[in-house]
Amino acid sequence: MLGLMQDRALLISDLIEYAALYHGDTEVVSRSIEGPIHRTNYRELRQRSKQLANALTALGVKFGDRVGTLAWNGYRHMELYYGISGMGAVLHTINPRLFPEQITYIANHAEDQFLFFDLTFAPLIEKLAPTMKTVKAFVAMTDRAHMPKINTGSVDLLCYEDLIDSHSADFEWPQFDEKTASSLCYTSGTTGNPKGVLYSHRSTVLHSFCVCSRDGLGLSSADSALIIVPLFHANAWGIPYAAAMCGAKLVLPGAQLDGKSVYELTRDEKCNFSAGVPTVWLMFFGYVDQNPHLDVKKDIVLERLVIGGSAAPRAMIERFHNDFGAYVVHAWGMTEMSPLGTTGNLLKRHADLPIEKRFDIQQKQGRAVFGVDMKITDDQGKELPRDGHAFGNLKVRGPWITKGYFKGEGGQVLDEQGYFDTGDVATLDPEGYMQITDRSKDVIKSGGEWISSIDVENAAVGHPAVQEAAVIGVFHAKWQERPLLIVIKKPGQDVTGPELIKFLESRIAKWWLPDDVVFVDELPHTATGKLLKTKLREQFKDHKLPTADAAE
Amino acid sequence: MLGLMQDRALLISDLIEYAALYHGDTEVVSRSIEGPIHRTNYRELRQRSKQLANALTALGVKFGDRVGTLAWNGYRHMELYYGISGMGAVLHTINPRLFPEQITYIANHAEDQFLFFDLTFAPLIEKLAPTMKTVKAFVAMTDRAHMPKINTGSVDLLCYEDLIDSHSADFEWPQFDEKTASSLCYTSGTTGNPKGVLYSHRSTVLHSFCVCSRDGLGLSSADSALIIVPLFHANAWGIPYAAAMCGAKLVLPGAQLDGKSVYELTRDEKCNFSAGVPTVWLMFFGYVDQNPHLDVKKDIVLERLVIGGSAAPRAMIERFHNDFGAYVVHAWGMTEMSPLGTTGNLLKRHADLPIEKRFDIQQKQGRAVFGVDMKITDDQGKELPRDGHAFGNLKVRGPWITKGYFKGEGGQVLDEQGYFDTGDVATLDPEGYMQITDRSKDVIKSGGEWISSIDVENAAVGHPAVQEAAVIGVFHAKWQERPLLIVIKKPGQDVTGPELIKFLESRIAKWWLPDDVVFVDELPHTATGKLLKTKLREQFKDHKLPTADAAE
């Protein structure tokens, strides 16, 4: 028997309609590519999204068509978020930090019909235009006066403001199945081609509820939210949608993420909430340190910072607490998860803990939010205990988690219980806090036991002579794999392999100690700055460990 | 094109599973019917809900079967909430304050297969047992030692704890369509038979997200939540579900809602959040006033009180602010709405207003939450302006609002745009705050303009000699209807009709002034204490207004 509640679909257009009606005056502030700070609000954002929807309809964009963006965080990108998805087309945000050939690959794979770009990317568009097979026009996100002088060959180059201006805001958002595709984002895997994650209206609205819940990210109408995490990456953690749901003021930093720009924007817009990767905050701290005359306590009113993307350093968590009175919500998720999976909120019972113990908890990646089922398993799929020690493959399930990639790439990705394998290796403690210990491809499997490459690397970089360290597993006849430590020394510093092993002895389990140490001049990285361990494994696949003979 | 997100259904069983896993130790505290305070937690609540699901399965309860409850707020009622809905049956909460014949009517109309009752209601069960046509057994919510000695005729009388004890907690919640019916609650209309509102798993989980959002009720794991609003009434405003979603501590006051009991429970369990009707808080204030030795500031740590059901008096909003430092969230909703429609949170921009202005805003019923579309219309369905002055029929739409009553009673209830007519008359101001001005049946339609009976009543009770006042419309040849004021005088006080009209002249619009005043000794009320205006209109239908002759 079905209930008798209304069959209203959860649609992204409802978010902007709600914001326009109940938070119409609430500001959306952008640092524009052209230069000055731009101020608009949710009422105007709805209006221009509707003008855009009319313009796209006139251009021939149909239900389900993909429309690409190469853009920073700004109001026009927000209009694309709502205009494209609202009309039933699919917003395809492209990460401009990918290699150019990857951008071509995904624009063609997605079959983008139009491609909107910020002026920063005009040279890139000119270069890539001939390689893009489905794009009917490129749209420069600017006004007539700032149009770039580029050659896009036989494909039209349009002006965003002209496009908008020529259409009315008289557009009624269509109603349709809430499982309809709304947006598309490709993951930048370290191997193979990027794969597309196709979100739905339903997943997006449900995820927004999570962001607005107090135990999620607690976003609310009381917040002035600085969104540093890019709109081209995993929906900027869902905040562009959730901010409309609750009516938070949005502050969008555009292309300028240097310490000075972020400091000034945070100060001028009285931002109390922010979300971003650790790197930006390192630059922010750098700016503060270089300018001791700043009245930081008066200028900066940050209360909650969501930090994810990579692990937040403990020193960052501590400094935000000590110097700014701000709480770092350490969060974890992934493009395939919309992206929120865990949030590092403290529990009521932690209030009385000494501050160091609270930092210990904050350093973990947090607890699963409602809506995300989470488990760790061994390689046979057997669930491992939630004891804070056992680490296993981290798997997740829920209504805003992918069930497969666009066009079936990658094949079947769920286990028998419907869980998606995140590719991360993690522990879960008895209170539910999760901590990433490694990537599953990087974990070293030694005699049936697992060694976390990241833990060994973190211990190694603690040595004063080590600049960067990588640990990989290499073949060992007896143990299958044993760890090899690969190190770049700091300029002018010296250390030997045995000295490093000696240093590690008091810091990690004895059987985790690397069997060998190699010194190199550089380590390979991905386009987004991550260690490229596949390349290292290839490079050292014939490396003979000094312990190998003994085992044979 | 559909998105590629997982097809996970939103189910009530997910709520208790999440709470047990991530907030297993969080307490659920009940004042038991047997006497002492009872303490359990979410882990045990899940376990016993599963034992109950096994027991009900063994008793023959099938998917979609209705199971009734006549019970106060306590842990066993919570187990019924999760056990019954979780297994795919329908929890039918019955309001024990209804007239006995209404209880019989709805139990038969719902075709309840089993009826669970608190000991308080043993005499009522004995009396009604012969009238209940579908009930296969009555289950006393107690242990063997406290079983009531009542005669239920040929129908079995079972013991709750025996039932639970004889079954294991080994029960896997079934997966099914999220639109499946989960619970049923009958409205106590002033006319005709009660009508059933049939909630779904989907509507319940979505509504829970709303309760947990900061701009909704902001319920969180940091809260100790005293749930005064009964579990038998409109899902106790959804808090039994939302509390599990976020892991809030639950405090359930059982049958004792007198000032002393509520004060002590609030104090002992350090409740910072509560939800209930104004009446209970009047008793609470009464207890405080009679016991000046109490250290109220130390004892009571209330921060947020959700008050709804009927309008929160301004004096109550002010007193909670002044004496307790607590914020009254004035909320509005109805059984047909799961029930949340509006919440009276202040906006960021209101922080700098003088306190009296903030009280003015708090006195309104609040703003629509995300998920509830709201409009006011005239009798022709034309939408009226959101100017804070125009008042019209309040209509709502959304995924947790009913589209029709159980078994089709009442027929088609939605307008062409899918809106449900609440039966309330309200204003909407430019900021989105809604204020109820009347029931649509009670509003007086005078020459095409509407007069709010409630506003006139509120003005009349401001006169020192008036104990209670009712205003109804009576026939008028020229104006269709004109207001008649019906008054009970305070004992030992006197006032004349002309004096009252004189008193009102400075308080309401001239054309709202009643055309006549009648004094009576008593006014008719419903079982739940509301003025029964249908009866008054019947009683005064031939009343001849002194102004009627002039019009003819």
Side-chain angles (χ1 to χ4, degrees):
Chain A
M1 184 170 66
L2 298 184
L4 290 169
M5 296 286 114
Q6 295 182 13
D7 300 308
R8 290 291 295 175
L10 305 173
L11 298 181
I12 287 171
S13 54
D14 293 335
L15 298 169
I16 190 63
E17 283 298 312
Y18 182 80
L21 195 52
Y22 289 96
H23 300 277
D25 296 329
T26 299
E27 285 188 304
V28 176
V29 179
S30 310
R31 193 185 290 280
S32 66
I33 308 303
E34 294 89 339
I37 294 287
H38 177 275
R39 312 188 86 84
T40 180
N41 60 33
Y42 283 114
R43 190 179 301 109
E44 291 173 7
L45 180 55
R46 170 179 61 174
Q47 178 179 316
R48 284 171 51 96
S49 302
K50 289 187 165 198
Q51 288 176 266
L52 180 68
N54 271 326
L56 290 172
T57 304
L59 285 171
V61 172
K62 293 188 180 51
F63 195 78
D65 277 355
R66 272 77 69 202
V67 178
T69 66
L70 261 175
W72 303 107
N73 291 8
Y75 65 102
R76 293 192 185 102
H77 209 172
M78 287 294 298
E79 292 159 12
L80 289 159
Y81 259 64
Y82 285 103
I84 295 170
S85 300
M87 71 182 282
V90 178
L91 169 82
H92 174 206
T93 53
I94 302 175
N95 184 343
R97 296 194 184 127
L98 294 175
F99 296 113
E101 54 271 33
Q102 287 181 310
I103 294 176
T104 293
Y105 170 83
I106 66 174
N108 287 336
H109 189 267
E111 301 170 61
D112 290 334
Q113 301 293 296
F114 292 86
L115 186 49
F116 288 73
F117 65 95
D118 267 336
L119 290 182
T120 323
F121 308 113
L124 183 65
I125 290 292
E126 184 165 39
K127 180 178 161 195
L128 297 184
T131 70
M132 297 205 172
K133 296 176 186 157
T134 58
V135 174
K136 294 173 183 160
F138 296 97
V139 186
M141 294 162 66
T142 189
D143 54 23
R144 179 53 54 190
H146 293 83
M147 278 298 283
K149 308 273 180 296
I150 57 171
N151 174 12
T152 53
S154 61
V155 181
D156 282 346
L157 176 65
L158 305 176
C159 168
Y160 187 91
E161 289 299 327
D162 284 0
L163 202 61
I164 295 269
D165 282 350
S166 60
H167 289 275
S168 86
D170 188 11
F171 182 90
E172 191 158 341
W173 303 116
Q175 293 288 313
F176 42 75
D177 185 341
E178 69 188 29
K179 291 188 177 171
T180 299
S182 59
S183 51
L184 177 64
C185 185
Y186 282 71
T187 59
S188 52
T190 46
T191 55
N193 281 315
K195 296 194 285 290
V197 179
L198 192 63
Y199 309 99
S200 70
H201 287 259
R202 171 184 165 91
S203 67
T204 303
V205 174
L206 291 177
H207 185 270
S208 302
F209 273 121
C210 173
V211 172
C212 294
S213 69
R214 282 176 75 117
D215 288 273
L217 298 185
L219 194 67
S220 84
S221 60
D223 290 324
S224 171
L226 174 67
I227 309 308
I228 286 171
V229 53
L231 268 71
F232 57 72
H233 176 69
N235 311 312
W237 302 349
I239 297 170
Y241 303 114
M245 177 180 269
C246 68
K249 172 180 169 179
L250 267 184
V251 182
L252 305 165
Q256 287 167 247
L257 298 176
D258 60 284
K260 181 171 188 285
S261 300
V262 169
Y263 185 93
E264 290 174 355
L265 201 56
T266 306
R267 176 194 64 201
D268 295 347
E269 302 304 329
K270 297 183 175 57
C271 299
N272 68 315
F273 177 99
S274 187
V277 294
T279 320
V280 173
W281 297 113
L282 289 176
M283 295 190 288
F284 175 91
F285 287 157
Y287 176 73
V288 170
D289 292 339
Q290 287 151 24
N291 293 276
H293 65 280
L294 293 171
D295 190 349
V296 174
K297 288 222 187 289
K298 176 167 163 284
D299 286 351
I300 303 298
V301 295
L302 284 168
E303 293 167 341
R304 294 187 327 286
L305 291 103
V306 186
I307 296 187
S310 57
R314 185 183 180 105
M316 182 172 286
I317 295 171
E318 292 180 356
R319 183 163 182 187
F320 271 121
H321 176 272
N322 295 332
D323 295 0
F324 298 85
Y327 182 85
V328 169
V329 183
H330 203 178
W332 169 87
M334 57 198 301
T335 303
E336 287 87 340
M337 298 174 68
S338 295
L340 214 55
T342 59
T343 56
N345 296 304
L346 293 180
L347 293 171
K348 203 176 171 182
R349 73 172 80 102
H350 299 141
D352 299 330
L353 287 179
I355 186 67
E356 291 298 324
K357 293 275 180 200
R358 278 187 273 154
F359 290 147
D360 288 347
I361 298 170
Q362 272 183 273
Q363 225 187 330
K364 296 191 171 193
Q365 268 82 5
R367 291 149 45 91
V369 293
F370 176 83
V372 173
D373 299 339
M374 188 169 274
K375 66 178 178 182
I376 49 173
T377 74
D378 64 17
D379 279 343
Q380 284 69 51
K382 190 174 145 271
E383 195 165 344
L384 296 173
R386 295 167 174 255
D387 59 8
H389 300 292
F391 55 98
N393 299 305
L394 182 65
K395 296 178 178 176
V396 291
R397 184 175 70 181
W400 56 79
I401 296 167
T402 191
K403 63 179 174 186
Y405 294 98
F406 190 44
K407 296 187 176 175
E409 302 287 343
Q412 162 65 29
V413 298
L414 305 186
D415 74 8
E416 282 165 21
Q417 285 79 44
Y419 281 82
F420 174 80
D421 191 333
T422 63
D424 278 323
V425 170
T427 59
L428 285 170
D429 73 19
E431 285 188 314
Y433 287 86
M434 184 273 283
Q435 187 162 28
I436 301 286
T437 57
D438 217 335
R439 290 290 296 167
S440 58
K441 284 171 190 160
D442 300 335
V443 78
I444 296 145
K445 296 177 181 180
S446 173
E449 299 289 334
W450 292 10
I451 297 170
S452 161
S453 66
I454 293 177
D455 281 1
V456 182
E457 287 160 8
N458 286 344
V461 293
H463 189 284
V466 174
Q467 178 168 307
E468 192 175 5
V471 174
I472 58 169
V474 296
F475 175 78
H476 189 285
K478 182 174 176 189
W479 302 108
Q480 293 93 50
E481 279 186 351
R482 287 296 300 162
L484 169 66
L485 173 60
I486 307 161
V487 167
I488 303 179
K489 282 186 260 194
K490 279 191 188 155
Q493 301 275 346
D494 207 8
V495 65
T496 67
E499 282 167 1
L500 265 180
I501 299 291
K502 183 83 187 161
F503 174 81
L504 293 174
E505 269 175 3
S506 63
R507 290 169 171 82
I508 56 176
K510 191 166 174 4
W511 64 277
W512 284 28
L513 288 173
D515 282 24
D516 202 1
V517 183
V518 174
F519 295 94
V520 294
D521 292 331
E522 57 180 347
L523 286 165
H525 292 93
T526 66
T528 52
K530 292 178 185 170
L531 262 178
L532 199 53
K533 292 204 180 168
T534 44
K535 197 155 179 183
L536 280 178
R537 278 191 289 267
E538 176 61 26
Q539 189 180 337
F540 288 95
K541 75 175 186 310
D542 299 321
H543 184 85
K544 193 162 173 166
L545 294 171
T547 55
D549 283 336
E552 281 172 305
Chain B
M1 184 170 66
L2 298 184
L4 290 168
M5 295 285 114
Q6 295 182 14
D7 301 308
R8 290 291 296 175
L10 305 173
L11 298 181
I12 287 171
S13 54
D14 292 335
L15 298 169
I16 190 64
E17 283 298 312
Y18 182 80
L21 195 53
Y22 289 97
H23 300 277
D25 296 329
T26 298
E27 285 188 305
V28 176
V29 179
S30 310
R31 193 184 290 281
S32 67
I33 309 303
E34 294 90 337
I37 294 287
H38 175 276
R39 314 187 86 82
T40 180
N41 60 34
Y42 282 114
R43 190 179 302 108
E44 291 173 8
L45 180 54
R46 170 179 60 175
Q47 178 178 315
R48 284 171 51 96
S49 302
K50 289 188 163 197
Q51 288 176 267
L52 179 70
N54 271 326
L56 290 172
T57 304
L59 284 172
V61 172
K62 293 188 179 52
F63 196 78
D65 278 355
R66 273 75 69 201
V67 178
T69 66
L70 261 174
W72 303 107
N73 291 9
Y75 66 101
R76 293 191 185 102
H77 209 172
M78 287 294 297
E79 292 159 12
L80 290 158
Y81 259 63
Y82 284 103
I84 295 169
S85 300
M87 70 182 284
V90 179
L91 170 82
H92 173 205
T93 53
I94 303 175
N95 184 343
R97 296 194 184 125
L98 294 175
F99 296 114
E101 53 272 32
Q102 288 180 309
I103 293 176
T104 293
Y105 170 83
I106 66 174
N108 287 336
H109 189 266
E111 301 171 62
D112 289 334
Q113 301 293 297
F114 292 87
L115 186 48
F116 288 73
F117 65 95
D118 267 336
L119 290 182
T120 322
F121 307 113
L124 183 64
I125 290 293
E126 185 166 38
K127 179 177 161 195
L128 296 184
T131 68
M132 297 205 172
K133 295 175 187 159
T134 58
V135 174
K136 293 173 184 162
F138 296 96
V139 186
M141 292 163 65
T142 189
D143 55 22
R144 179 54 52 189
H146 294 82
M147 279 297 283
K149 308 274 180 294
I150 58 170
N151 175 12
T152 52
S154 60
V155 180
D156 282 345
L157 176 65
L158 305 176
C159 167
Y160 186 90
E161 290 299 328
D162 285 359
L163 201 61
I164 296 268
D165 282 349
S166 60
H167 289 275
S168 86
D170 187 10
F171 182 90
E172 191 158 342
W173 302 117
Q175 293 289 314
F176 43 73
D177 185 340
E178 68 188 30
K179 291 188 178 172
T180 298
S182 59
S183 51
L184 178 63
C185 185
Y186 281 72
T187 59
S188 52
T190 46
T191 54
N193 280 316
K195 296 193 286 289
V197 178
L198 193 64
Y199 309 99
S200 70
H201 287 259
R202 172 184 164 89
S203 67
T204 302
V205 174
L206 290 177
H207 185 270
S208 302
F209 274 120
C210 173
V211 172
C212 295
S213 70
R214 282 177 75 117
D215 288 273
L217 298 185
L219 194 67
S220 84
S221 60
D223 290 323
S224 171
L226 175 67
I227 310 307
I228 286 169
V229 52
L231 269 71
F232 58 72
H233 176 69
N235 312 311
W237 301 350
I239 297 170
Y241 303 113
M245 176 180 270
C246 68
K249 172 179 169 179
L250 267 183
V251 182
L252 305 165
Q256 288 167 247
L257 297 176
D258 59 285
K260 182 171 188 286
S261 299
V262 169
Y263 185 93
E264 290 174 354
L265 201 58
T266 306
R267 177 194 64 201
D268 296 347
E269 302 303 329
K270 298 182 175 56
C271 299
N272 68 314
F273 177 99
S274 187
V277 294
T279 319
V280 172
W281 297 112
L282 289 176
M283 296 191 286
F284 175 91
F285 288 156
Y287 175 73
V288 170
D289 291 340
Q290 286 151 25
N291 293 275
H293 65 280
L294 292 171
D295 189 349
V296 173
K297 288 222 187 286
K298 177 167 162 283
D299 287 350
I300 303 298
V301 295
L302 283 169
E303 293 167 342
R304 296 188 326 285
L305 292 103
V306 186
I307 295 185
S310 57
R314 185 184 181 103
M316 181 172 287
I317 294 171
E318 292 180 356
R319 184 164 182 185
F320 270 121
H321 175 272
N322 295 332
D323 295 0
F324 297 85
Y327 182 84
V328 170
V329 183
H330 202 177
W332 170 87
M334 56 197 302
T335 303
E336 287 87 341
M337 297 174 69
S338 296
L340 213 55
T342 59
T343 56
N345 297 303
L346 293 181
L347 293 171
K348 203 175 171 182
R349 73 173 81 103
H350 298 141
D352 299 331
L353 288 179
I355 186 67
E356 291 298 324
K357 292 275 179 200
R358 279 187 274 153
F359 290 148
D360 288 347
I361 298 170
Q362 270 182 274
Q363 224 186 329
K364 297 191 170 193
Q365 268 82 5
R367 290 149 44 92
V369 293
F370 176 84
V372 173
D373 298 339
M374 188 170 275
K375 66 178 179 183
I376 49 174
T377 74
D378 65 18
D379 280 342
Q380 284 68 50
K382 190 175 144 273
E383 196 165 342
L384 297 173
R386 295 167 174 256
D387 60 7
H389 300 291
F391 55 98
N393 299 306
L394 182 65
K395 296 177 179 176
V396 290
R397 183 175 71 180
W400 56 78
I401 295 167
T402 191
K403 63 179 174 186
Y405 293 100
F406 191 44
K407 295 185 176 177
E409 303 286 345
Q412 163 65 29
V413 298
L414 305 186
D415 73 8
E416 281 165 22
Q417 284 80 43
Y419 282 81
F420 174 82
D421 191 334
T422 64
D424 278 323
V425 169
T427 59
L428 286 170
D429 73 20
E431 286 189 313
Y433 288 85
M434 184 272 284
Q435 186 162 30
I436 301 285
T437 57
D438 217 335
R439 291 289 296 167
S440 58
K441 286 172 190 160
D442 300 335
V443 78
I444 295 145
K445 296 177 181 180
S446 174
E449 299 289 335
W450 293 10
I451 297 170
S452 162
S453 66
I454 293 176
D455 281 1
V456 182
E457 287 160 8
N458 286 344
V461 294
H463 189 282
V466 173
Q467 178 167 308
E468 192 176 5
V471 174
I472 58 169
V474 296
F475 176 78
H476 189 285
K478 182 175 177 190
W479 302 107
Q480 293 92 52
E481 279 186 352
R482 285 297 300 161
L484 169 66
L485 173 60
I486 307 161
V487 166
I488 304 179
K489 282 185 259 194
K490 279 192 187 154
Q493 303 276 348
D494 207 8
V495 65
T496 67
E499 282 166 1
L500 265 180
I501 299 291
K502 182 85 187 158
F503 174 80
L504 292 176
E505 269 174 3
S506 63
R507 288 168 172 82
I508 56 176
K510 190 164 175 8
W511 63 277
W512 284 28
L513 288 172
D515 282 23
D516 202 1
V517 183
V518 174
F519 295 94
V520 294
D521 292 332
E522 58 181 347
L523 287 165
H525 292 92
T526 67
T528 51
K530 293 177 185 169
L531 262 177
L532 199 52
K533 293 203 179 167
T534 44
K535 197 155 178 184
L536 281 177
R537 279 191 288 266
E538 175 62 26
Q539 189 180 338
F540 289 95
K541 75 175 187 307
D542 298 323
H543 184 85
K544 192 160 176 172
L545 294 171
T547 55
D549 282 338
E552 281 172 307

